């Protein structure tokens, strides 16, 4: 087995502590919670690690607060190892929050470092176990650190038997006056433009979700995020027009159907020279939710994380006949499910099961075009 090295360090927070006077020594007296720190989220039976989904959310790990009986922020390290003894481990993140999002790429790198990538010397070269644990600590130097370690969580991971090299999907980029107010970057800056993805190499049908948090959005479509060369605009006569037709010569800045902002599903076809925008507001529905299949429970969008979320009580339900789904605008015209129960999503996909009764936080990430993901974490 290969030796693991530190691969990922995210959000490193450094705490410094100052004594009340120059002569005082500041010492922590920890009174840990009797139950200690522990993971609180439910995990999938197996995580399928595809390189093409590297940027997708694999899991958002959630845990309870550690109690050190001190008035100072607590740091949390999420450690991962292929050995239950944790003789060597990788650091997936160091945060002060009680949750951390881990991508498919994070887990894939661990799996490959552990020799799970088609190693012919193993009986099951593409299947293995990754072990996770939490370290909670306060203090900034070796002599002043007090810590707690959680129990160890194991997750099963699988690599495709013969992972083919896949081409990145062709992209079209949306640049405009909404980028700054919507959390993407600087207005009218190609490098900060948000992407739409084609359905396959050589296809011209682009799709993606874009948040436009301004009263009167104006934008164009770019073939690359490096310049305005070859840009597409609306075929109308005034900036902000929405005709549903794009052109590359004599164009104006495109607008939205109602001339107002929102969270839009955008579809563009650069061969047919057409485009459409559908404003969406997302919720969860299903017989696992308090209102069943009769009505949605609305989700809230966070422009900083680019994620929709909701916390609610759910009941145990078995998919595919029962469970939950995501849908937009309190209607079935636009709904998303999970056909393979692998955390990736498909329009019109299957219901998502709930393993047991409890209070859950559900997230929906539509920020990666055509690679939509969700998480369901028990609180």
């Amino acid at each position: 087995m290969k030796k693991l090295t530190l691969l990922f360090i995210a959000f490193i927070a450094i705490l410094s502590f100052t004594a009340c006077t120059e002569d005082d020594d500041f010492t922590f007296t920890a009174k840990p919670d009797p139950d200690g720190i522990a993971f609180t989220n439910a995990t999938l039976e197996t995580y399928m690690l595809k390189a093409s989904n590297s940027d997708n959310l694999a899991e958002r790990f959630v845990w309870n607060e550690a109690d050190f009986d001190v008035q100072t922020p607590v740091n949390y390290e999420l450690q991962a190892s292929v050995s239950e003894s944790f003789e060597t481990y990788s650091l997936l993140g160091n945060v002060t929050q009680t949750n951390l999002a881990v991508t498919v790429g994070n887990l894939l790198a661990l799996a490959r470092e552990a020799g799970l990538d088609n190693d012919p010397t193993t009986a099951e070269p593409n299947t293995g176990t990754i072990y996770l644990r939490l370290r909670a600590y306060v203090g900034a130097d070796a002599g002043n650190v007090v810590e707690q370690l959680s129990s160890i969580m194991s997750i099963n991971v699988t690599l495709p038997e013969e992972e083919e090299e896949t081409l990145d999907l062709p992209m079209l980029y949306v640049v405009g006056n909404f980028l700054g107010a919507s959390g993407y970057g600087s207005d009218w800056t190609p490098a900060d433009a948000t992407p739409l993805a084609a359905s396959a190499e050589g296809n011209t049908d682009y799709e993606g979700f874009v948040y436009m948090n301004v009263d009167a959005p104006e934008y164009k479509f770019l073939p690359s995020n490096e310049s305005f060369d070859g840009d597409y605009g609306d075929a109308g006569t005034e900036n902000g027009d929405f005709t549903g037709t794009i052109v590359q010569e004599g164009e104006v800045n495109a607008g939205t159907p109602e001339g107002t902002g929102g969270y839009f599903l955008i579809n563009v076809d650069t061969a047919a020279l057409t485009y459409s925008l559908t404003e969406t507001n997302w919720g969860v529905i299903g017989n696992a939710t308090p209102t069943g299949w009769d009505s949605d429970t609305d989700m809230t969008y966070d422009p900083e994380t680019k994620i929709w979320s909701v916390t609610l009580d759910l009941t145990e339900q078995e998919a595919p006949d029962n469970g939950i789904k995501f849908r937009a605008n309190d209607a079935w015209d636009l709904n998303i499910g999970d056909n393979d129960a692998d955390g990736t999503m498909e329009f019109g996909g299957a219901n998502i099961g709930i393993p047991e009764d409890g209070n859950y936080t559900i997230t929906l990430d539509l920020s990666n075009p055509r690679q939509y993901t969700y998480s369901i974490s028990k609180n």
Side-chain angles (χ1 to χ4, degrees), residues 267-310:
N267 294 94
V268 181
D269 192 321
T270 55
L273 297 178
T274 58
Y275 76 109
S276 65
L277 276 74
T278 304
E279 185 175 3
T280 64
N281 289 283
W282 288 89
V284 294
I285 191 170
N287 60 351
T289 71
T291 57
W293 294 106
D294 295 328
S295 63
D296 294 7
T297 301
D298 292 339
M299 306 182 80
T300 301
Y301 180 71
D302 185 339
E304 291 188 8
T305 62
K306 312 295 188 296
I307 289 174
W308 293 84
S309 66
V310 64

Side-chain angles (χ1 to χ4, degrees), residues 242 256-260 279:
F242 177 84
T256 61
E258 303 297 328
T260 56
E279 185 175 3

Side-chain angles (χ1 to χ4, degrees), residues 113-236:
E113 189 74 11
L116 300 183
D117 49 348
N118 296 311
D119 184 347
T121 64
T122 61
E124 295 183 78
N126 301 305
T127 301
T129 302
I130 292 176
Y131 299 93
L132 300 163
R133 73 179 180 187
L134 294 162
R135 174 182 177 245
Y137 67 94
V138 289
D141 57 73
N144 231 9
V145 170
V146 179
E147 65 178 20
Q148 292 181 30
L149 290 176
S150 74
S151 57
I152 294 170
M153 171 194 287
S154 63
I155 60 172
N156 298 319
V157 297
T158 298
L159 279 67
E161 289 187 9
E162 294 181 1
E163 186 168 12
E164 300 178 357
E165 265 187 53
T166 57
L167 295 173
D168 290 336
L169 291 175
M171 296 289 180
L172 190 69
Y173 297 88
V174 188
V175 67
N177 67 349
F178 63 89
L179 294 174
S182 306
Y184 295 113
S186 299
D187 290 349
W188 296 107
T189 303
D192 294 332
T194 185
L196 312 176
S199 58
E201 183 71 22
N203 290 356
T204 60
D205 57 333
Y206 295 88
E207 168 192 296
F209 288 88
V210 179
Y211 183 47
M212 297 184 177
N213 188 30
V214 292
D215 291 336
E218 293 186 13
Y219 56 93
K220 287 188 174 183
F221 302 109
L222 306 179
S224 82
N225 61 350
E226 297 179 355
S227 72
F228 279 85
D229 293 346
D231 62 331
Y232 295 85
D234 192 90

